[in-house]
Amino acid sequence: MRFIRPVWLTHSGEKKDFEVYSCHVSPDGSRLVTAAGDGYVRVWSTEAAFNAADPSFNGPRQLASMSYHSGTIHTVRFSGNGRYLASGADDKIVCVYTLDPHPPTHNTAFGTDEPPPVETWKIHRRLIGHDNDVQDLGWSHDSSILVSVGLDSKVVVWSGYTFEKLKTISGHQSLVKGITFDPANKYFATASDDRTVKLWRFTSPGPNSTAYDQMSNFVLEKSIEIPFKGSPLTTYFRRCSWSPDGNHIAAANAVNGPVSSVAIVNRSIWDGDIHLIGHEGPVEVCAFSPRLFSKVRPSNQSTDGKGPNLSNLVTVIACAGQDKALSIWITSNPRPLVIIEEMAVKSLSDLAWTPDGLNLFVTSLDGSIICVSFEPGELGYEVSQEETEKTLERFGTGRRGAGIIEGTDGLLMEEKSREDELRGAEGRMGALMGDAPPSQSLTANGHDNPAPTSAPAVNGFTPSTDAKIPLINGDGPHSTPNDAQMNGQSQEDPNKEKLEKLKSRVTITKDGKKRIVPLLLSSSGGYESSLPRAQLMSASTNIQGGKDDSPQTTLDLSKPFDGLPKGGLSSLLLGNKRKWAKPEDTEDDSIEKRISLTSKDGAVPIVANTSEGLVPARSGSGSAGQQPTPDFIRPAILNPSLTVSQVRLAVPKLRRHITQTIGRPNGSAAAEDPTRAPDHPLAANGRQIQPELMIEIRNPSQMPTSGRSSDQEPCKITVSRRGQPLWQDFLPRSTLLVTGNETFWAAACEDGSIHAWTPAGRRLVNALILESQPVKVECMKNWLLCVTAVGLCYVWDMKTLQSPHPPVSLAPLLDIAIYSLQDHVTAGPAVTAARLSSEGRIVIRLSNGDGFAYSPSMYIWQRISEVWWAVGSQYWNSGAASVGDLRSSCGAKDGSNVSAGIIPFLEGGTRTESMVRGKAVMLQRLVKQLLSREGYEGFESTVSIAHLENRVAGTLMLGSKEEFRVYLYMYAKRIGNEGLKNKVEELLEGLLGGNDGEDDIKGTGSPMGKRNAEDRTWDNGTDYLCGWARKELQKGVLSILGKNRDLHRITVPYAKLLGVPEELEHETEDEMMVS
């Protein structure tokens, strides 16, 4: 070990040397940067410092000096990629510099003693976000964020790409004086005078991330207080450091009783039980060496191929503070390697290691800058940087380099991907400024509604548009836009006149002069935004059928006619589990012993299933001969199926009068408000609007008019259109439920029968006899769903009079397997929603938050949504803004709205039920404990990816076209950012499917625009997947993955197969010709 103190390495003044507050070494080790009280940031050559004693060395010493602050500079730090240099001062400003590749064109300023600059560091950004002095800075290891802390008790997070302020954290109660980053890129720690070290968990933001996108990022993970109770508040800094293997944090200014110390905080459990005691005064700065060392010399040939043994790896840490002493510690020794006292006249302020871990720069408030150089092997044997990176993989490290460009094709894809992201950001800004194009027609799972002016599809049909639209505010009849187009007239923008008025709006100033008020205009980015547009609208617009300008979405599910009771349909269960009966005259475990002894030699014991439980079978003589017939048989009071069923659902009460309506005249508005009573038609301008179709059920009273209970009057059914009766029918039994649309009508009776009619009143099929009373009926297009009291679900196609699958039971959804068989039933989860999709898929939502859909191709229920995703996934509340970003990034130009389909419907129910029942709070507590454990660092990322995979699989099974593409692109973006090469390659190979790259597929949907059940699997052998052309999906995924250089070896061959590089080259040539 030797000490180097060059005379020229200082911030000299006219009378004294200025205090040096900070220093740092560049990632390549060639530059040393220092900051001092003279307001200058100086960049020095480390080579000149190491050769200070060599008189023959004639290289440059000071490379550059910058003075962009108006006060004392407290901290200076290089970014991890070496591109930027940041400094913070007491003028409350953070300056970011970048190196100009061109040599400087100017000499030393006139009147100064500064040497001529060798390099030019230009000011890149001036960041204003603090209200007091900036004390320390820190870059994430991937340089994606810059964090500054100061005496205003704030922690400010800046984007490492655009240097936009992403978030201001006010978690500390006093001055914040230190920050350090986790080398695994998962946390950063801040130290404050409130005697705490707080750990913040984060996910690296993307290049186009905004403050809105990062609202839920940078959350508090742990607040460490015990090692710092009673620590002095007289230190200027509390600079902490994170070990290169990610296992420990060295926190300065800790105390162990009355003695000053350095607290070593262990990862995962975040305790500070280990203390480094060796300083007489408070320690202000700690710095781990960036390299790991081995206690034994690494051999040239590794026997196991796994590199050095982890047990032989050690870390080196340097500590300094107010006692003007420097201590060097190695984790393999309980005592310090060396303590160097009286290093300077005043306190030591900062420490900086070179990347090789063999040189340490020390700065002091007396103005001195000292280099401590170690000989090879003195601290241990260096471990390669690759082995250091391997030790971080167990923490799910997110550090990835910039990568190497594989060729021009990869560069073109990268530029195209970034252009698409930028276009998406511009589109979001245009939507916020109100410049988005007008809303397009509604879509349901990717299929356009035929009439733009008609109401959205209600129960699977679209109301007729033949009739004229009713009068609006007493004006004359208006023709529809379709009529105007048929007549050859161009449709005018309704906001054009208002816009012209705004452009020419004149105001009078105070001095009486006229001025035209300027109108703010912006570009919309060329796509339909999913953000809501705020507009002033009259209260009667929606009632009168006016079109709402906010994004409209349709739900591909049946509209319920009868609402379920509060809390849903309650269920009672008899479990599947069996217990052993315990006779009173035997010991508690005697039967279990007998059974185990019987089955020891492989024999299967014979047991009898009784109401008390399972008991060993008893041998006895069977009854022989003819059995006597009983004198009488007890009449059945309950439905026989209920007495033996393991599932029992609540049966609705019998109502005397049932009225249901469908649609409104002329299709002038959306479906009728479900919150209104069906027998109260909406009113507009004082006039009653009659419903389009109405069915009226009148059940007989309890006592017939004849006075005899055996005489039962029939149930009367009447269907009318706009008050005019269409047809009438009678049923011999009372009706419980009714449903219908323009395809058919259906009524469910209390005896378990279902009757169906055509729109004209013709009996469609004979009475369908069920095993128990119906508790829920739904219809969607030509599909009819019926849920019975024993939990069986029937689905029929009333057009073909067929069923897609046998009746399915709700017992698996109600967790019947976890309940034991008892004499009495047990309350199970309630059914809060039972719906039908347009393809006849059953969708069930339960009170425990789970959502299910039945797969007729696999004959099994599939869980689509559950509380587990709500507490563990980062994509649970992914809203419309991210959907719009993804849609723009994939280059969609049709502006179609993304339909709010079945998965958002089920996840919304999960969110509501979990909040009401508090189940999410319990799981959040469990997840928080897991995240603090070793081995669970990648838990949140893994669950988030699994949630996206669950969404993709669910939309593919349900045939939700638009949602499938959105979730597919979200999934591709996440696995690309995580660098999961195997999953990326598997996704691209799955999208390739039957498309061999030779067919010219120009469409974006399946043939004839119809949904095809054959394209619902990845390996379906066709060129379509969930209604989309595979080629279009591949291009969208490749556009998203194009910015990841480390994936170019995987993505470029698939891009060449589709001809993407050639298309990008042609676009570039066309742009050059135009320009």
Side-chain angles (χ1 to χ4, degrees):
M1 179 175 60
R2 61 192 181 99
F3 298 90
I4 304 174
R5 186 173 180 178
V7 179
W8 48 265
L9 189 57
T10 181
H11 288 247
S12 59
E14 295 180 358
K15 298 181 180 180
K16 65 168 185 175
D17 292 340
F18 288 95
E19 302 89 347
V20 181
Y21 289 96
S22 183
C23 66
H24 200 237
V25 181
S26 62
D28 59 359
S30 62
R31 300 178 182 89
L32 169 71
V33 60
T34 58
D38 59 350
Y40 276 87
V41 174
R42 302 184 186 272
V43 183
W44 312 88
S45 170
T46 56
E47 184 182 5
F50 298 150
N51 295 276
D54 186 3
S56 62
F57 180 79
N58 57 0
R61 298 173 177 175
Q62 179 174 308
L63 303 180
S65 64
M66 297 84 74
S67 179
Y68 292 97
H69 288 282
S70 59
T72 300
I73 304 175
H74 294 151
T75 176
V76 61
R77 296 288 183 265
F78 279 104
S79 63
N81 55 16
R83 182 179 179 183
Y84 299 108
L85 173 66
S87 62
D90 60 3
D91 58 359
K92 313 173 188 178
I93 295 176
V94 176
C95 291
V96 180
Y97 314 89
T98 183
L99 178 63
D100 190 349
H102 304 287
T105 58
H106 60 280
N107 295 323
T108 305
F110 179 76
T112 63
D113 297 332
E114 293 288 332
V118 179
E119 299 176 343
T120 302
W121 286 83
K122 300 187 300 182
I123 187 74
H124 182 70
R125 290 286 190 277
R126 292 170 61 91
L127 311 180
I128 301 175
H130 285 275
D131 301 327
N132 210 329
D133 298 6
V134 179
Q135 285 294 101
D136 205 2
L137 295 171
W139 293 86
S140 64
H141 285 265
D142 60 355
S143 302
S144 61
I145 59 173
L146 168 68
V147 178
S148 58
V149 299
L151 302 185
D152 54 358
S153 306
K154 294 180 181 179
V155 178
V156 184
V157 183
W158 313 87
S159 170
Y161 305 98
T162 62
F163 295 100
E164 174 189 356
K165 182 165 67 175
L166 298 179
K167 194 170 187 178
T168 300
I169 306 173
S170 301
H172 285 284
Q173 306 301 320
S174 187
L175 319 178
V176 189
K177 296 181 177 179
I179 180 176
T180 182
F181 268 89
D182 172 21
N185 226 43
K186 301 297 181 183
Y187 305 95
F188 65 85
T190 54
S192 169
D193 273 355
D194 60 4
R195 295 188 171 98
T196 64
V197 169
K198 296 185 183 297
L199 287 113
W200 310 90
R201 179 163 44 90
F202 74 98
T203 302
S204 297
N208 296 321
S209 297
T210 62
Y212 178 79
D213 300 332
Q214 303 300 314
M215 289 178 62
S216 59
N217 204 355
F218 313 107
V219 295
L220 179 64
E221 178 69 19
K222 182 71 174 180
S223 181
I224 306 171
E225 304 176 359
I226 296 179
F228 312 101
K229 289 184 177 179
S231 62
L233 304 178
T234 57
T235 57
Y236 206 78
F237 300 106
R238 288 177 179 258
R239 284 170 170 159
C240 43
S241 178
W242 211 305
S243 63
D245 58 357
N247 283 325
H248 305 98
I249 303 174
N253 199 8
V255 292
N256 188 4
V259 182
S260 297
S261 67
V262 175
I264 303 298
V265 180
N266 294 313
R267 191 188 184 102
S268 299
I269 57 178
W270 309 120
D271 61 351
D273 297 338
I274 304 176
H275 289 264
L276 304 181
I277 300 176
H279 286 265
E280 298 178 356
V283 178
E284 294 195 19
V285 56
C286 305
F288 272 102
S289 172
R291 299 294 291 272
L292 290 175
F293 293 88
S294 177
K295 293 183 290 185
V296 297
R297 183 185 299 273
S299 58
N300 295 331
Q301 295 179 355
S302 179
T303 58
D304 55 359
K306 297 181 180 179
N309 190 356
L310 294 179
S311 61
N312 296 327
L313 298 181
V314 296
T315 55
V316 179
I317 180 176
C319 306
Q322 292 184 359
D323 59 353
K324 298 166 284 188
L326 172 68
S327 63
I328 307 295
W329 303 74
I330 297 180
T331 54
S332 60
N333 295 332
R335 297 179 180 274
L337 178 66
V338 62
I339 296 180
I340 307 166
E341 298 181 350
E342 301 298 330
M343 282 277 294
V345 180
K346 294 184 180 181
S347 301
L348 304 183
S349 57
D350 205 358
L351 303 171
W353 290 89
T354 54
D356 58 3
L358 296 178
N359 300 280
L360 175 66
F361 287 93
V362 185
T363 60
S364 172
L365 297 184
D366 64 357
S368 59
I369 303 173
I370 306 171
C371 176
V372 182
S373 182
F374 298 91
E375 298 296 332
E378 189 173 358
L379 299 176
Y381 300 99
E382 294 182 48
V383 177
S384 64
Q385 190 65 29
E386 291 77 12
E387 299 297 335
T388 304
E389 293 290 340
K390 288 182 180 180
T391 61
L392 297 172
E393 291 180 357
R394 54 180 172 163
F395 302 126
T397 174
R399 296 177 59 185
R400 292 187 301 275
I404 302 176
I405 299 178
E406 298 292 337
T408 57
D409 295 336
L411 185 60
L412 287 173
M413 291 179 58
E414 183 177 348
E415 293 177 354
K416 182 65 166 58
S417 178
R418 297 190 182 278
E419 288 177 2
D420 290 340
E421 283 194 357
L422 182 59
R423 189 180 301 113
E426 292 176 352
R428 292 196 302 272
M429 181 58 67
L432 290 173
M433 301 303 296
D435 290 346
S439 177
Q440 303 293 328
S441 59
L442 303 181
T443 60
N445 288 333
H447 299 275
D448 298 334
N449 288 338
T453 57
S454 63
V458 181
N459 287 338
F461 71 92
T462 305
S464 174
T465 57
D466 295 338
K468 296 294 182 178
I469 295 180
L471 300 180
I472 301 178
N473 293 334
D475 298 335
H478 296 265
S479 61
T480 64
N482 285 345
D483 297 336
Q485 294 175 4
M486 292 175 61
N487 296 333
Q489 301 173 3
S490 62
Q491 183 181 359
E492 296 183 359
D493 187 359
N495 298 323
K496 183 177 180 181
E497 185 178 353
K498 297 180 181 179
L499 188 62
E500 294 297 332
K501 291 182 179 180
L502 288 174
K503 290 181 179 179
S504 59
R505 188 173 58 182
V506 179
T507 58
I508 306 298
T509 60
K510 294 182 179 180
D511 54 0
K513 296 182 180 180
K514 295 183 178 180
R515 292 289 184 268
I516 297 179
V517 178
L519 177 65
L520 179 62
L521 299 175
S522 65
S523 175
S524 63
Y527 85 104
E528 170 67 13
S529 173
S530 58
L531 296 178
R533 307 186 187 91
Q535 292 188 357
L536 295 177
M537 304 178 65
S538 62
S540 60
T541 302
N542 290 339
I543 297 178
Q544 297 174 6
K547 186 176 181 180
D548 187 5
D549 286 339
S550 61
Q552 302 180 31
T553 56
T554 60
L555 180 62
D556 187 23
L557 285 176
S558 59
K559 174 190 173 185
F561 277 91
D562 293 302
L564 295 176
K566 187 176 182 181
L569 281 175
S570 58
S571 63
L572 299 177
L573 307 176
L574 291 174
N576 286 336
K577 295 177 68 177
R578 298 294 186 265
K579 61 179 182 179
W580 296 104
K582 302 190 182 298
E584 297 179 358
D585 57 347
T586 59
E587 298 179 1
D588 292 341
D589 57 350
S590 60
I591 296 180
E592 284 83 347
K593 290 181 178 179
R594 291 168 56 188
I595 296 298
S596 61
L597 290 175
T598 306
S599 58
K600 179 182 294 186
D601 299 330
V604 180
I606 302 176
V607 295
N609 184 12
T610 66
S611 60
E612 291 81 10
L614 298 177
V615 298
R618 297 178 181 178
S619 60
S621 58
S623 58
Q626 185 177 3
Q627 299 297 318
T629 303
D631 296 336
F632 64 92
I633 299 177
R634 180 177 60 84
I637 299 176
L638 296 176
N639 192 309
S641 61
L642 290 178
T643 61
V644 297
S645 174
Q646 292 180 279
V647 178
R648 306 175 186 179
L649 299 180
V651 180
K653 294 181 180 180
L654 182 64
R655 291 170 288 177
R656 179 176 299 180
H657 189 205
I658 304 175
T659 304
Q660 299 292 358
T661 59
I662 296 179
R664 295 186 192 170
N666 306 326
S668 58
E672 196 161 356
D673 189 356
T675 60
R676 293 179 177 267
D679 54 350
H680 290 79
L682 299 176
N685 297 335
R687 299 191 304 270
Q688 295 243 339
I689 298 179
Q690 296 293 337
E692 180 73 11
L693 289 172
M694 183 177 68
I695 184 170
E696 183 179 8
I697 308 292
R698 290 191 178 271
N699 288 318
S701 59
Q702 295 297 331
M703 182 58 66
T705 56
S706 63
R708 293 181 297 181
S709 58
S710 59
D711 297 339
Q712 185 176 1
E713 296 182 0
C715 170
K716 183 180 178 181
I717 300 178
T718 305
V719 175
S720 60
R721 182 190 296 273
R722 303 178 193 173
Q724 300 296 325
L726 294 180
W727 56 270
Q728 195 175 74
D729 202 347
F730 296 90
L731 296 178
R733 296 167 185 84
S734 299
T735 301
L736 286 177
L737 303 168
V738 65
T739 186
N741 51 33
E742 286 194 345
T743 305
F744 66 92
W745 292 97
C749 299
E750 63 175 344
D751 65 340
S753 61
I754 293 182
H755 303 264
W757 298 268
T758 63
R762 176 175 57 86
R763 290 283 181 130
L764 191 59
V765 67
N766 296 330
L768 307 178
I769 307 302
L770 306 175
E771 78 289 342
S772 60
Q773 291 91 344
V775 298
K776 184 68 175 175
V777 291
E778 291 283 336
C779 69
M780 183 68 172
K781 294 185 178 178
N782 54 314
W783 298 100
L784 175 62
L785 165 68
C786 178
V787 183
T788 65
V790 296
L792 286 181
C793 299
Y794 293 84
V795 176
W796 301 286
D797 187 344
M798 303 307 292
K799 184 177 181 181
T800 61
L801 299 182
Q802 294 179 351
S803 178
H805 52 77
V808 293
S809 175
L810 294 178
L813 312 187
L814 302 176
D815 296 333
I816 196 170
I818 67 175
Y819 295 97
S820 298
L821 178 64
Q822 300 176 2
D823 292 336
H824 304 285
V825 293
T826 305
V831 180
T832 58
R835 303 284 190 89
L836 263 180
S837 71
S838 59
E839 293 188 341
R841 305 291 178 91
I842 309 174
V843 178
I844 301 294
R845 202 167 67 183
L846 302 181
S847 59
N848 59 6
D850 292 349
F852 303 88
Y854 187 77
S855 173
S857 60
M858 301 181 68
Y859 296 102
I860 196 67
W861 289 102
Q862 294 187 11
R863 183 185 287 111
I864 305 297
S865 177
E866 57 182 320
V867 185
W868 176 252
W869 305 126
V871 297
S873 173
Q874 298 171 335
Y875 292 91
W876 179 251
N877 288 322
S878 53
S882 61
V883 171
D885 182 16
L886 290 164
R887 189 169 67 243
S888 65
S889 67
C890 66
K893 301 178 181 180
D894 55 354
S896 59
N897 292 317
V898 178
S899 63
I902 300 173
I903 290 184
F905 168 76
L906 294 177
E907 291 187 350
T910 301
R911 180 168 50 251
T912 303
E913 296 295 340
S914 60
M915 292 176 60
V916 170
R917 301 180 182 273
K919 188 175 180 181
V921 178
M922 179 187 66
L923 284 176
Q924 282 177 347
R925 193 181 302 115
L926 172 63
V927 169
K928 189 174 182 180
Q929 293 175 356
L930 287 177
L931 290 176
S932 62
R933 276 196 213 166
E934 184 177 355
Y936 287 87
E937 289 79 4
F939 171 82
E940 194 171 17
S941 175
T942 303
V943 174
S944 300
I945 293 175
H947 182 214
L948 291 178
E949 292 171 349
N950 186 76
R951 282 178 167 180
V952 172
T955 52
L956 185 60
M957 186 270 291
L958 294 168
S960 300
K961 180 181 176 182
E962 293 289 345
E963 288 174 331
F964 173 76
R965 187 177 68 170
V966 171
Y967 295 145
L968 178 68
Y969 290 164
M970 292 175 70
Y971 175 66
K973 186 175 183 180
R974 183 57 185 262
I975 62 177
N977 292 337
E978 294 286 340
L980 303 178
K981 297 182 180 180
N982 291 335
K983 288 193 174 184
V984 169
E985 187 173 6
E986 185 181 59
L987 176 62
L988 292 174
E989 185 178 354
L991 288 175
L992 191 63
N995 183 14
D996 57 1
E998 298 179 358
D999 297 333
D1000 185 14
I1001 304 173
K1002 299 181 179 180
T1004 59
S1006 58
M1008 304 298 295
K1010 296 181 180 180
R1011 286 187 248 187
N1012 188 359
E1014 296 179 356
D1015 64 356
R1016 303 297 171 78
T1017 59
W1018 293 92
D1019 299 326
N1020 54 41
T1022 67
D1023 292 337
Y1024 297 91
L1025 184 63
C1026 198
W1028 293 101
R1030 290 178 180 266
K1031 184 176 182 180
E1032 299 301 323
L1033 294 178
Q1034 282 179 310
K1035 287 184 177 180
V1037 170
L1038 289 172
S1039 175
I1040 293 173
L1041 298 175
K1043 65 179 181 180
N1044 303 101
R1045 289 186 181 178
D1046 52 346
L1047 300 176
H1048 281 180
R1049 291 187 178 181
I1050 301 175
T1051 57
V1052 170
Y1054 286 93
K1056 289 182 177 179
L1057 185 63
L1058 298 176
V1060 174
E1062 291 79 3
E1063 295 178 1
L1064 296 178
E1065 290 179 359
H1066 292 324
E1067 292 179 1
T1068 305
E1069 293 176 358
D1070 294 342
E1071 292 177 358
M1072 295 178 60
M1073 292 179 62
V1074 171
S1075 59

